[in-house]
Amino acid sequence: MTSLRVALTHLRKAVGPYLTITRQSVAMNRDGPCHVDLIALEQGLSLAQHSQAGSNMHSVPHLEEMSQALAQYQGDFLAGFIVSDS
């Protein structure tokens, strides 16, 4: 447990604003200074869904918001990443 505590301390010092580190988890800081395409996609789709409420789903503003949201997605996480000798 001591080595984990030390590792988390080093991690916090190295990338503190980008991660939320607790005793139980390590996660991306959604409010941090980084761009995560999945978070942007989810927020854009939510905005588009809320804007279409009570309007024509195929309206130009709705389609533009959907298009902008979908453009945020950059592909599968670590696609093609291979660790040699693993």
Side-chain angles (χ1 to χ4, degrees):
M1 191 63 143
T2 302
S3 61
L4 176 59
R5 195 172 310 127
V6 170
L8 290 176
T9 298
H10 289 294
L11 186 61
R12 189 176 288 113
K13 286 179 183 177
V15 293
Y18 300 97
L19 298 176
T20 300
I21 301 171
T22 69
R23 295 179 75 147
Q24 290 81 27
S25 67
V26 175
M28 292 295 301
N29 180 0
R30 288 181 171 247
D31 298 323
C34 61
H35 176 83
V36 179
D37 62 349
L38 179 60
I39 294 171
L41 172 65
E42 289 173 343
Q43 290 172 341
L45 291 176
S46 177
L47 178 65
Q49 286 175 332
H50 285 78
S51 72
Q52 68 131 8
S55 67
N56 180 358
M57 186 169 132
H58 300 291
S59 68
V60 173
H62 173 70
L63 293 176
E64 287 175 9
E65 289 170 347
M66 291 291 279
S67 177
Q68 289 174 358
L70 293 172
Q72 295 295 317
Y73 182 70
Q74 299 295 313
D76 292 338
F77 182 65
L78 296 178
F81 179 77
I82 299 170
V83 177
S84 61
D85 299 328
S86 59

